[in-house]
Amino acid sequence: MDDDGTRGARGSSADRVPGPALPPPPTTPPRVPAPAAGPRPGATPVEQHPTRPGPASPAEQPVPGAPVDAWLRTPRPPQEPGVWRYGYTPPPPEEPEGVSNRSLLVGALISLLSALLLWSLWRNGYLPYRLVPLKLFTPGEWWNPGTSGGPRTIEGSDALTVYEAILFGLLAYGCGRIGNFSELFRRHVADRGQPFLALAAATAAGLTQLLVWKEALPAVRPVLVLVASVAGGEIYQSQTVVNVIYAVIAAAVLYPFARLGCWRELIAARRGAAAPAPDGTAAAPAAATSADQWPELRTAGWTDAADTLTAEVRTGRMNDVDVARLRHAWTLATRRPDRLAPLAEAVLRTGGAAALHPSGHRDLPRRGARHDVLTGQVRIGRCADDPHNPYVRRGTGLALEPALLGTSLLAVGPPGAGKTARLIRPVVEALALRALAGQAAVLAVGGAGAPLGPDDAFDVVVRLGHPGSAHDIDLYGGTTDPDEAAAVLAEGLVGDVGSLDSRRAATVLAQLLGPYRAAHGHFPSVPELRELLDGTPAALAGLRASLEAAGHHAMLRELDARSRQAGGPGDPAPALADRVALLDRPAFTGFFATGPDARPFSLRALGQHPLRVRVDLPERGHAEASRLLTRLLLAQFTAITAARTDTTLFACLVLDDATHAVTAETVRGIRRLRSVNAGAVLALRTVDDVPETLHTPLLGAVGCTAAFSGITTWDGKRFAEAWGKEWVETREVAQHTVFADQPFTRALHALRKLVTGKAVTTDAVTVRQVERERWSASELAYAVPAGHAVIRLATVEGEHAPPLLVHLDD
């Protein structure tokens, strides 16, 4: 990461970190300015990485290798929360549960054999009274006497021919309906697509033509008889007319098979694919309103800038982050018309490099997940084909975006379940891309060595307890108000102590921080704060002397009040001193510095600039201190984001391990994040890592929850209660023994029992609506396969999706 010398000093304040580069940009990419303080002796600078300007990254994720213009034109229809929108196509309508293929084939075969039997009996005269309906509507002199008498005249013979054709058509229609031949054709022929459909229809058409012209099917003679009865028999004296009639019959037989086989569509598709483009002409350009031609700039009248960006996109000199960044910059510029002209000039001068991120980077060094930077989505998996998932969600991609993370996310799963690699890392990566586009700020907190991303993917990397760390953390959150600093610091120090009131602890800290800042102009360092909390006489006497010399009488009263309360029952100062002692260790020497020369990184910068920050905690050697710092960062983040006045920038805190970091006050702060365009992502090994009194408030405060495979039934019970119930239809089958009254029936039942070994029973089916849990505790503990998670999502607008079983990284 290129920061122009900031490696030499640990930290940057909120006032010293620039926002996104706003046009017109400088000749070189803007950089983070160096703080005033020099490097600490022994500090080893972190490796610097050059800026990566230029062409589109080959890691274009939605479709690897696809051009940016095609990526821009890909549709992204609005969908339910969590649906991967890039190139989304809705599934076909759900089909009702039908009969099995075996039953379908057997039914069709039985229907066909029955029809053939009936037709054979008809043709051979075994059906009585078969000519009675025909004789009722024709003259009697056409027929021989008797109900079974045949035709006497030529007219009767012709009438019988037409009559047989009509009966054959009715028999064929009935056979097709009873045998469900349409469903059989759809399943085994039409669903296989082209060219099989066309070939099958052509084969059936050829066989039918053979049977028609061999007169196995009554079609030719009835047509000739009808034509002769209408036009007269003399018409057949012309061979041309006869040939025309034969051609019409052949076409009439072929027409239904051509419709079933979609011959016309197949021929048109083959011709369109084979037709070459005319010589000297290029492919038709995209529509003037296509996304890759920047219609918003053209509508506003900046045609030259739109043409420049269009050329940049089509020649591959822009990537997806450039597109998202410039679109966001244009949106911001439209709110302040005085910035439109500088932005257009910057685009004409530098093309896709306009409005760069302060780091000068245009992409991440590498990506491990599939991203759609235009919508801010990151795909984390695919909804499994499981009965728990709604039909429309089965097989669709599941993605996270700021609209979902704005409600905060809680992920619970045992070690090895994939929380970091399959959820936390993709989310951090997506937020980092969003930050490069000037739309988000991310703070990722994890243990040293946690795979949250490489160093050059972040603007600020804080390695607490590491001598090579170029940055530090401000324990007081960058505030100058003693009461505010005391409240946040008390929450971080003793917020997890249930027997200690954090408000009393905040009062104790305020009674010391206020006087110290009034006397020295800054808050105390960790060793000085520890001495004040321990009540060291020399430290208190020196502070009192400084206050008396400066005439701060109000602060002297605060210090006197602290002296009176010290050592009393329930005094939180000893507990605070013990917790501060966790940070007053040799490994942290030089960290958490205060004073005019110190420049620690302040979380307030996250609310003002699109920064990418990673904090590495020394979990292995200082587990308690790491938990304290995690709790402090969470408390600072919720307090700082809630006090923001400009909420256009999405701010997100990602905790790879939130064990013992959640307190009652931070739960209330998490609940307020969604109203200030911010969110938090918390990962836990078990819900029991949070105090029991906070289980229900925490699950109610977050809008998105994820239960990974391997959780216990106790954790599953809490998720099942939080996700609620749904109405389902149940079928209960009861078998009742049949008792026969008649001797013959009893004998049959006895014979059947002797053969099968079972009594004769009848099934009684009861269908009813019942309310059941969407996922039970046992199902969450034992029915979630490895590599899967059950995820429930909600947006800040109130939309929500049911808990979905997701195959991660699919």
Side-chain angles (χ1 to χ4, degrees):
M1 186 183 67
D2 191 357
D3 61 358
D4 195 21
T6 55
R7 300 296 183 188
R10 283 205 307 264
S12 299
S13 65
D15 299 332
R16 303 178 67 85
V17 181
L22 197 64
T27 55
T28 59
R31 304 168 185 263
V32 180
R40 178 171 49 86
T44 303
V46 182
E47 181 184 359
Q48 299 187 14
H49 297 267
T51 301
R52 293 177 300 281
S57 170
E60 200 282 321
Q61 294 295 320
V63 181
V68 179
D69 54 349
W71 171 79
L72 265 174
R73 291 195 299 267
T74 302
R76 297 166 175 84
Q79 292 298 323
E80 297 179 0
V83 175
W84 175 250
R85 294 167 50 192
Y86 178 81
Y88 174 80
T89 55
E94 183 178 8
E95 297 179 0
E97 184 178 355
V99 296
S100 63
N101 289 333
R102 179 179 179 181
S103 300
L104 193 64
L105 290 173
V106 172
L109 181 61
I110 293 175
S111 176
L112 179 61
L113 294 178
S114 301
L116 291 176
L117 176 61
L118 285 175
W119 183 245
S120 177
L121 294 176
W122 168 270
R123 293 297 298 268
N124 292 285
Y126 290 107
L127 295 180
Y129 309 108
R130 65 189 186 94
L131 298 180
V132 171
L134 179 61
K135 291 181 178 181
L136 292 176
F137 296 96
T138 54
E141 59 269 14
W142 290 3
W143 310 98
N144 292 319
T147 56
S148 60
R152 178 190 299 176
T153 62
I154 297 177
E155 289 82 359
S157 180
D158 293 342
L160 180 59
T161 300
V162 176
Y163 180 57
E164 287 183 346
I166 295 175
L167 290 180
F168 180 82
L170 294 176
L171 181 63
Y173 176 77
C175 173
R177 290 297 300 270
I178 295 174
N180 204 1
F181 278 86
S182 60
E183 178 67 15
L184 185 66
F185 174 81
R186 185 191 63 80
R187 287 192 190 182
H188 299 282
V189 180
D191 286 352
R192 300 183 65 174
Q194 299 289 8
F196 181 82
L197 176 60
L199 292 176
T203 302
L207 179 61
T208 304
Q209 288 280 6
L210 179 63
L211 295 177
V212 167
W213 296 111
K214 290 293 184 179
E215 295 190 0
L217 300 179
V220 178
R221 289 180 58 83
V223 172
L224 297 176
V225 168
L226 289 175
V227 172
S229 63
V230 174
E234 296 81 5
I235 193 173
Y236 295 119
Q237 296 178 0
S238 173
Q239 186 62 36
T240 303
V241 174
V242 175
N243 293 337
V244 170
I245 294 175
Y246 285 165
V248 170
I249 295 175
V253 173
L254 286 177
Y255 178 74
F257 294 98
R259 291 289 303 274
L260 289 175
C262 302
W263 294 353
R264 182 177 179 181
E265 291 81 358
L266 179 62
I267 294 174
R270 293 295 176 89
R271 286 181 177 178
D279 295 338
T281 61
T289 57
S290 61
D292 63 317
Q293 293 192 351
W294 302 85
E296 59 272 19
L297 272 70
R298 298 183 186 277
T299 303
W302 301 98
T303 307
D304 293 341
D307 292 339
T308 300
L309 293 179
T310 302
E312 293 270 305
V313 168
R314 294 186 175 178
T315 55
R317 292 194 295 269
M318 287 181 63
N319 58 19
D320 53 351
V321 178
D322 294 331
V323 173
R325 186 186 69 250
L326 288 174
R327 284 197 169 192
H328 180 67
W330 178 261
T331 302
L332 295 180
T334 54
R335 300 174 185 173
R336 297 181 60 179
D338 58 312
R339 296 189 179 185
L340 290 175
L343 176 59
E345 293 175 2
V347 168
L348 291 175
R349 185 169 60 254
T350 60
L356 275 179
H357 184 264
S359 65
H361 294 179
R362 297 172 63 177
D363 201 354
L364 296 179
R366 54 185 174 272
R367 306 184 188 181
R370 296 183 62 186
H371 298 273
D372 184 17
V373 187
L374 204 60
T375 59
Q377 287 190 316
V378 53
R379 176 169 173 147
I380 62 173
R382 173 181 55 84
C383 296
D385 188 5
D386 186 86
H388 285 92
N389 293 342
Y391 171 78
V392 295
R393 299 301 297 268
R394 297 175 191 173
T396 61
L398 189 82
L400 297 176
E401 57 184 308
L404 299 172
L405 299 178
T407 64
S408 297
L409 186 148
L410 175 66
V412 179
K419 300 187 301 298
T420 300
R422 299 178 177 180
L423 180 65
I424 300 298
R425 170 69 182 271
V427 168
V428 173
E429 198 172 84
L431 292 171
L433 289 172
R434 197 98 174 147
L436 290 178
Q439 304 175 46
V442 57
L443 171 62
V445 181
L452 300 181
D455 292 349
D456 50 356
F458 296 90
D459 303 311
V460 176
V461 177
V462 181
R463 292 183 175 89
L464 293 174
H466 192 283
S469 178
H471 297 276
D472 195 358
I473 286 293
D474 187 355
L475 287 180
Y476 304 100
T479 183
T480 58
D481 184 359
D483 293 327
E484 182 181 351
V488 176
L489 185 58
E491 196 66 32
L493 292 176
V494 295
D496 60 329
V497 181
S499 60
L500 188 61
D501 188 358
S502 60
R503 290 174 295 182
R504 292 192 61 187
T507 301
V508 171
L509 287 172
Q511 290 172 344
L512 296 174
L513 296 181
Y516 190 95
R517 179 173 179 79
H520 301 283
H522 58 82
F523 291 122
S525 62
V526 170
E528 293 168 336
L529 180 60
R530 180 183 180 183
E531 291 180 351
L532 292 174
L533 290 171
D534 282 333
T536 305
L540 293 176
L543 179 58
R544 182 181 299 277
S546 300
L547 292 174
E548 291 175 348
H552 295 291
H553 302 289
M555 293 303 171
L556 281 172
R557 288 195 299 270
E558 287 283 298
L559 193 60
D560 292 338
R562 171 85 290 268
S563 299
R564 289 193 303 270
Q565 298 170 3
D571 182 18
L576 290 170
D578 291 341
R579 289 300 178 88
V580 172
L582 296 174
L583 304 179
D584 190 16
R585 305 295 301 165
F588 300 116
T589 301
F591 285 85
F592 317 117
T594 59
D597 295 333
R599 291 293 185 269
F601 174 77
S602 172
L603 264 63
R604 292 188 180 274
L606 291 173
Q608 305 171 15
H609 311 289
L611 291 176
R612 303 165 294 166
V613 183
R614 194 188 77 206
V615 178
D616 295 342
L617 301 175
E619 287 185 344
R620 293 185 178 180
H622 304 275
E624 288 298 326
S626 297
R627 293 175 181 177
L628 186 153
L629 292 171
T630 302
R631 189 164 53 250
L632 177 61
L633 291 174
L634 178 58
Q636 286 186 0
F637 180 82
T638 56
I640 291 171
T641 53
R644 288 193 304 170
T645 56
D646 183 8
T647 59
T648 56
L649 195 69
F650 178 73
C652 188
L653 169 67
V654 181
L655 297 181
D656 185 48
D657 185 5
T659 302
H660 300 298
V662 179
T663 64
E665 184 61 32
T666 54
V667 168
R668 286 189 287 269
I670 290 173
R671 189 178 291 111
R672 293 191 297 265
L673 291 179
R674 67 178 64 192
S675 62
V676 292
N677 195 24
V681 179
L682 312 177
L684 294 171
R685 294 182 177 89
T686 174
V687 181
D688 290 331
D689 288 338
V690 177
E692 186 176 359
T693 56
L694 297 179
H695 290 173
T696 300
L698 177 60
L699 289 172
V702 297
C704 303
T705 48
F708 283 72
S709 60
I711 65 172
T712 63
T713 52
W714 292 273
D715 287 342
K717 179 181 179 181
R718 298 180 181 97
F719 280 107
E721 293 175 349
W723 292 339
K725 301 179 179 181
E726 63 178 345
W727 289 98
V728 296
E729 183 180 278
T730 62
R731 294 170 59 90
E732 296 179 357
V733 180
Q735 292 185 340
H736 302 285
T737 303
V738 178
F739 297 97
D741 296 331
Q742 301 299 324
F744 180 73
T745 307
R746 286 199 298 269
L748 290 178
H749 286 184
L751 179 62
R752 180 175 175 181
K753 183 176 182 180
L754 180 64
V755 173
T756 62
K758 298 180 180 179
V760 179
T761 59
T762 181
D763 294 340
V765 181
T766 303
V767 181
R768 60 178 179 174
Q769 296 283 336
V770 297
E771 193 176 22
R772 288 184 178 175
E773 293 174 331
R774 299 179 184 272
W775 281 85
S776 67
S778 298
E779 287 175 330
L780 289 172
Y782 303 111
V784 179
H788 291 66
V790 181
I791 301 178
R792 187 252 185 190
L793 301 175
T795 67
V796 292
E797 291 83 9
E799 298 182 55
H800 59 85
L804 302 170
L805 179 63
V806 180
H807 186 190
L808 301 172
D809 283 342
D810 188 355

